[in-house]
Amino acid sequence: QVQLVESGGGLVQAGGSLRLSCAASRSIFSFNTMGWYRQAPGNQRELVAFITSDGSTNYADSVKGRFTISRDNAKNTVDLQMNSLKPEDTAVYYCNAQTGRSLPLNVYWGQGTQVTVSS
């Protein structure tokens, strides 16, 4: 089992920055991927970014060039640096981890942290 705890959400004006952090309850060294998803009211949960165990990253088109995901295996954390925030980035952001050596992978979620961007 893995517990994921997010922090760093809040209220920010458009054009501002926030940094989200996700702390895992155990070593993330062997995790297949860690990532961030978000869900706005009335919308489905969508992928924002993920990072693999070898450091490869992938971003949603809507955040490319503005958001940066990083992981620190020593601290068991994955961060999401969000710059040039827009009102449409407003959502609950969830940390995600996927582990395992065969399908189906084990999937874990954090409880979510609210990000609100005012215009």
Side-chain angles (χ1 to χ4, degrees):
Q1 279 289 354
V2 178
Q3 280 75 51
L4 303 172
V5 179
E6 302 101 334
S7 60
L11 173 64
V12 64
Q13 289 188 330
S17 299
L18 281 175
R19 188 176 183 90
L20 305 183
S21 186
C22 172
S25 59
R26 64 176 177 88
S27 173
I28 66 170
F29 181 80
S30 63
F31 286 13
N32 302 74
T33 65
M34 292 197 73
W36 290 90
Y37 288 69
R38 66 186 181 187
Q39 187 168 18
N43 290 356
Q44 290 187 330
R45 192 173 295 189
E46 63 176 5
L47 174 69
V48 176
F50 69 82
I51 184 167
T52 66
S53 57
D54 65 0
S56 299
T57 58
N58 187 281
Y59 297 90
D61 287 342
S62 59
V63 307
K64 282 181 181 176
R66 300 188 297 122
F67 291 10
T68 303
I69 190 170
S70 60
R71 64 192 282 170
D72 188 329
N73 289 339
K75 296 181 179 180
N76 299 326
T77 57
V78 61
D79 290 353
L80 185 69
Q81 178 65 42
M82 305 185 295
N83 299 328
S84 302
L85 283 161
K86 305 175 180 179
E88 51 263 43
D89 294 318
T90 295
V92 178
Y93 283 70
Y94 296 91
C95 181
N96 169 275
Q98 299 187 21
T99 71
R101 297 186 178 185
S102 61
L103 296 178
L105 298 178
N106 303 306
V107 181
Y108 303 96
W109 294 95
Q111 80 286 354
T113 186
Q114 177 70 47
V115 171
T116 303
V117 184
S118 62
S119 57

